[in-house]
Amino acid sequence: MRISLLSVSLAAALLVPLFAIRVGAAVGTAPQAPVNLDFKVGVPGEIPEGWAVLGQHPRAYKVEVRSDPSRVAHRCVVISGGSAEFVTASQWFDARPWRGQRVEFTGALRYRSEAGKGHGALWLRADGDDGRVLAFDNMDDRPITSWSWTPARIFLEIPLNADKIYIGTMLVGTGELWTEEVKFRALGKRGEGDVPPRPLTDHGLDNLVAFTRLLGYMRHFDPADPVVSLDWNAFAIAAIDTVEGARDAAELAATLGGLFQPLDPVLRVDTRPIESDSLAVHGPDDSVIGVVRWQHHGWGAGTVPAGPYWSRQIREPLNRVEFAPGPLHAITASLGSGVYCGVPTALWADSSGSLPHTRDALWKPSGPRPAGFLPSASDRSTRLAGVVLCWGVLQHFFPYFDVVKTDWEAALRQGLRSAATDRGPGDYLATLERLTAHLDDGHAGVLGPGQDDPFNAPFAWRWLGRRLVVTTVSDSCPDSIRPGDVVGSVNGIPTEDRYRAVAARISASTAGRKRHLSLSRMAPTCDTLALDVEGADGVRRRVSVASRTTLTPDAMSHPRAVDQLRPGIWYVDATHLNDSTFASVVDTLARARGVIFDVRGYPGRLGTEPLAHLTNRPMTSARWGFPIVRKPDHRDPAFEWSSWKVKPMVPRFRGRVAFLIDAKAISYAETWLGIVERYRLGALIGEPTAGTNGNVNQIHLPGGYTVSFTGMRVLKHDGSPHHGIGIRPTVPVSPTLARIREGRDEQLEKAIEFVSR
């Protein structure tokens, strides 16, 4: 399917320097601290002094100072109007006085919208003197969507090499956002309260595995009100040390009960197996008006749907007896370490909420943490909690465990052991990547602190089997490296050894996709790359290549996006074409003797219209299955199935058609190619695709990490699996070393030959 992630694009937009459209004060010496946070300096109806309006389409918005009619002494900045993008009232100041500090940026926000979707948020960013983003938060995982005044808070640690700090309030989409009571302050030293690394004992590891299982059952299946509203990131961090130190099964059961039973007294944790009919579910009485339970459409975090995915507590009427609390609606399971649990999955409810009521609905973390403690990868408990939370979501909502056949519990144990001893963001990022690599999912990946800066190579390379081969070279590259050179080692490490180390951190559904994804990581972070290569003459030589600011060339030199290669033979690069350009050439293509669509990539700006011109009958896409998760541990999976419809369009193409494919084609590209495969719209020439399709889902973990994964199940038209298989070529063609050295694209040449017949 086509991936649409507002959070990703929005974060990317805020992670680059924004352009000031209008500024409330003249630019001069950088202030040492933020100014005019109460918006009292400036004229009502205009932008507050010291603030700038930044964004992608700022003229679609209005930014002004107003008074809050309910609070006479308060002045607010109001952003209204909107488009599909965002705008922010922002300012920046010198980061040097704040280096090495934990800072807090707060405000009160309210948001409303009569049409369309959107939200409000604060954002905070620290940049280095080279403009590189060092730390960032835009409340993407906790947006403001209520018209009631809602406190918003961001904690951030300012790196020692920070140069500028940016703050702002932001309206995303359409609507009206009010912001007041803005404050910025330092809370203490960076890293204060962090628990240092130390290895897990075998017993401590077993305890944390039991905790992970119970947390997953409670978080995703117990419908008690305190469970639904809990900050699970903070809960997991606070619980780690207590759980890890339990000395035996009895102490572990008591510890887990003490942590979780305040959220739902019906829960039972014991050292003996628990029968589901032994759970003391509050019986129905005159106050009961319904039943509450979880409803999962995939997995959704919080109250705002994440694209097509959502999880919510729903209330069923009393006459829905199939949902009545009792033995049929409970999880009874072994947690390991001699401890068992009984978790209700349905509860009676009165007009005030789920029953029984508990006074601990507003659970707050406790322990030796300083005020404003900021979870980060420098803190051992935060790292362990991230593995616990991530594993739990994927355990119950990743839709392909029956396909990938991975040892997911072994992955949990490996992840916990590694997280316990990681020494910072880079190590922890690798731990999360190794965890998700067990999924064999081409959409799985990790974003967050600790990511290495890529080496900007002035050449491109690809794998030919197990040989790493240079394919194209830019003008800025030294003459000593040439297309067709076989790379034997990278910075002294044999290429296969380097690949094994890189591949352990890559999740992919097929071997070809994993090899392709490894290409961007084969060169480590460095200024100069040392390569041992062997040329066409068989001579081995050492080549030194400096990192460049110029873009890496494509693996092959392709024709233009739309190009006539021979009389009547046309080439269309689906990866770089958009709908309007295609519409302008469709009549020409329809009259062509042959058309080649290059889908060795992602046709993100092109709809399915090109396929509609290749048929005279209605078509459908592959089958999308949104998981309807009712039971834990991927038992008895159910799906809500749908598909796209593609109606035929005129003019219909007259000539022969071919599609170029390889492992770079993933997700929406495979939606395209699945239709081609099913309805035989043309020859599929090249190599197998990535074998990963479906909308991406995301897990936001403490410390600023986001894990992505495929959140839905996709089947081919005939009901057979797509995941791990992809689209296979009808005319298999792989590049060869000889043709690369000649600068030729064998797959394109085969396609020209095919459509020219």
Side-chain angles (χ1 to χ4, degrees):
M1 297 183 73
R2 189 193 299 263
I3 303 171
S4 177
L5 292 174
L6 174 61
S7 60
V8 174
S9 61
L10 181 58
L14 286 174
L15 286 173
V16 299
L18 295 170
F19 296 97
I21 307 304
R22 295 173 291 171
V23 182
V27 177
T29 303
Q32 303 293 298
V35 299
N36 196 19
L37 297 183
D38 56 9
F39 311 120
K40 289 184 178 180
V41 180
V43 179
E46 297 183 3
I47 301 164
E49 290 291 329
W51 294 78
V53 179
L54 315 172
Q56 294 170 307
H57 296 289
R59 303 195 186 283
Y61 298 84
K62 183 176 182 181
V63 181
E64 60 184 324
V65 173
R66 291 192 206 170
S67 295
D68 180 357
S70 64
R71 308 185 197 185
V72 177
H74 289 266
R75 295 182 74 178
C76 311
V77 62
V78 180
I79 307 175
S80 57
S83 66
E85 308 298 340
F86 75 95
V87 78
T88 171
S90 174
Q91 60 174 284
W92 67 272
F93 49 95
D94 193 342
R96 285 176 294 180
W98 308 91
R99 288 174 177 171
Q101 298 288 315
R102 287 180 299 113
V103 300
E104 178 188 47
F105 179 41
T106 63
L109 281 69
R110 62 177 183 170
Y111 165 85
R112 66 181 175 185
S113 177
E114 297 180 357
K117 295 181 179 180
H119 66 262
L122 298 179
W123 67 281
L124 173 61
R125 196 180 89 198
D127 286 6
D129 57 8
D130 58 356
R132 189 161 54 94
V133 175
L134 304 177
F136 173 70
D137 188 349
N138 68 346
M139 297 181 59
D140 178 60
D141 58 339
R142 54 197 190 282
I144 303 299
T145 58
S146 171
W147 187 236
S148 300
W149 284 107
T150 305
R153 176 174 283 106
I154 294 176
F155 297 109
L156 208 64
E157 291 186 340
I158 306 302
L160 297 175
N161 59 338
D163 182 64
K164 295 183 179 67
I165 296 175
Y166 292 82
I167 63 172
T169 179
M170 172 177 61
L171 171 61
V172 179
T174 61
E176 185 176 322
L177 175 68
W178 290 56
T179 303
E180 66 175 17
E181 299 179 353
V182 175
K183 295 181 176 63
F184 184 88
R185 62 172 181 153
L187 297 173
K189 292 184 179 180
R190 185 169 175 251
E192 189 177 13
D194 288 347
V195 177
R198 73 173 184 276
L200 280 168
T201 65
D202 291 344
H203 190 65
L205 175 61
D206 290 340
N207 289 345
L208 290 184
V209 169
F211 171 68
T212 301
R213 290 198 182 106
L214 182 54
L215 184 144
Y217 293 147
M218 288 291 292
R219 182 186 188 187
H220 304 301
F221 297 99
D222 189 319
D225 291 344
V227 171
V228 175
S229 60
L230 185 65
D231 182 344
W232 283 98
N233 286 3
F235 178 90
I237 293 170
I240 289 293
D241 292 337
T242 303
V243 172
E244 182 186 349
R247 291 167 292 186
D248 53 32
E251 186 174 337
L252 178 60
T255 300
L256 294 175
L259 286 167
F260 288 98
Q261 280 180 331
L263 304 174
D264 184 0
V266 177
L267 165 74
R268 282 192 59 196
V269 184
D270 206 332
T271 55
R272 295 173 296 177
I274 298 171
E275 299 295 332
S276 58
D277 57 5
S278 68
L279 296 185
V281 177
H282 182 92
D285 54 33
D286 292 342
S287 68
V288 170
I289 61 174
V291 175
V292 290
R293 65 181 181 91
W294 275 103
Q295 189 176 66
H296 295 293
H297 192 261
W299 178 73
T303 58
V304 179
Y309 304 112
W310 44 264
S311 296
R312 63 191 179 196
Q313 181 203 55
I314 64 169
R315 179 173 294 180
E316 302 285 1
L318 285 175
N319 58 6
R320 295 294 299 274
V321 294
E322 68 269 29
F323 297 116
L328 295 179
H329 296 287
I331 299 168
T332 55
S334 169
L335 302 176
S337 298
V339 178
Y340 301 83
C341 72
V343 179
T345 59
L347 294 169
W348 299 110
D350 62 15
S351 59
S352 299
S354 64
L355 295 172
H357 298 310
T358 172
R359 291 175 298 176
D360 297 281
L362 298 177
W363 178 91
K364 294 182 179 180
S366 60
R369 303 285 192 184
F373 168 74
L374 183 66
S376 75
S378 299
D379 174 54
R380 179 179 184 269
S381 300
T382 298
R383 297 192 302 270
L384 289 168
V387 172
V388 167
L389 294 160
C390 180
W391 189 91
V393 172
L394 295 169
Q395 165 69 6
H396 302 297
F397 297 98
F398 180 61
Y400 288 114
F401 278 122
D402 62 324
V403 176
V404 300
K405 305 293 186 183
T406 188
D407 189 340
W408 191 230
E409 180 169 330
L412 170 62
R413 291 178 174 273
Q414 293 167 9
L416 290 171
R417 282 198 184 278
S418 180
T421 57
D422 286 339
R423 295 196 169 273
D427 290 349
Y428 183 51
L429 182 83
T431 292
L432 292 176
E433 288 181 330
R434 286 192 294 267
L435 176 66
T436 58
H438 284 269
L439 299 176
D440 293 341
D441 175 16
H443 282 147
V446 185
L447 291 175
Q451 291 178 313
D452 293 332
D453 294 330
F455 180 84
N456 294 315
F459 60 84
W461 49 18
R462 66 156 292 155
W463 290 100
L464 295 183
R466 295 191 172 188
R467 292 186 296 181
L468 184 60
V469 178
V470 175
T471 54
T472 54
V473 176
S474 73
D475 294 338
S476 62
C477 202
D479 294 337
S480 52
I481 187 169
R482 307 178 188 95
D485 283 346
V486 179
V487 181
S489 70
V490 178
N491 283 5
I493 301 173
T495 53
E496 269 300 299
D497 291 346
R498 174 67 181 166
Y499 171 74
R500 280 190 291 270
V502 166
R505 297 172 56 176
I506 295 175
S507 186
S509 306
T510 63
R513 180 67 182 180
K514 180 165 286 197
R515 286 276 178 178
H516 168 69
L517 291 176
S518 73
L519 295 173
S520 62
R521 301 188 181 199
M522 288 297 292
T525 299
C526 56
D527 294 326
T528 303
L529 200 63
L531 303 177
D532 290 314
V533 302
E534 180 180 324
D537 55 6
V539 176
R540 297 181 180 179
R541 60 192 189 279
R542 172 66 63 91
V543 178
S544 181
V545 182
S547 181
R548 299 287 197 273
T549 57
T550 55
L551 294 176
T552 301
D554 289 336
M556 288 288 182
S557 298
H558 296 150
R560 293 172 297 179
V562 179
D563 201 3
Q564 185 172 209
L565 306 180
R566 296 180 182 176
I569 305 299
W570 285 81
Y571 169 90
V572 178
D573 186 350
T575 301
H576 297 100
L577 197 65
N578 58 35
D579 289 330
S580 60
T581 303
F582 176 78
S584 68
V585 298
V586 66
D587 290 334
T588 300
L589 298 177
R591 295 190 298 268
R593 186 158 60 98
V595 178
I596 300 165
F597 288 97
D598 194 339
V599 199
R600 295 174 294 186
Y602 191 85
R605 298 182 295 165
L606 197 58
T608 56
E609 285 79 3
L611 306 181
H613 290 277
L614 305 180
T615 183
N616 59 1
R617 57 175 173 155
M619 303 183 295
T620 63
S621 67
R623 299 168 59 190
W624 322 126
F626 288 97
I628 308 301
V629 179
R630 301 187 179 96
K631 295 183 179 181
D633 302 316
H634 34 90
R635 298 200 308 264
D636 300 333
F639 298 90
E640 178 185 283
W641 295 102
S642 64
S643 61
W644 292 350
K645 291 180 172 55
V646 180
K647 297 180 180 180
M649 298 177 66
V650 293
R652 185 179 177 190
F653 285 25
R654 303 173 186 173
R656 294 169 68 87
V657 179
F659 295 82
L660 299 178
I661 65 172
D662 65 9
K664 295 190 293 295
I666 187 172
S667 202
Y668 177 56
E670 294 182 289
T671 296
W672 251 57
L673 297 170
I675 297 172
V676 174
E677 179 184 60
R678 171 63 175 176
Y679 295 98
R680 301 182 180 180
L681 302 181
L684 295 161
I685 298 175
E687 300 164 288
T689 61
T692 301
N693 200 357
N695 282 76
V696 176
N697 206 343
Q698 291 184 312
I699 310 167
H700 296 287
L701 301 177
Y705 292 86
T706 299
V707 171
S708 60
F709 67 100
T710 303
M712 60 188 291
R713 193 177 183 97
V714 177
L715 299 177
K716 291 178 179 282
H717 292 74
D718 60 3
S720 62
H722 174 90
H723 193 86
I725 296 174
I727 309 300
R728 302 292 177 85
T730 57
V731 183
V733 180
S734 295
T736 62
L737 184 59
R739 296 296 179 265
I740 289 175
R741 285 172 172 166
E742 295 171 3
R744 294 166 59 182
D745 184 344
E746 286 174 271
Q747 293 168 340
L748 178 57
E749 290 178 357
K750 177 61 72 172
I752 294 172
E753 175 189 335
F754 175 84
V755 300
S756 298
R757 294 174 185 168

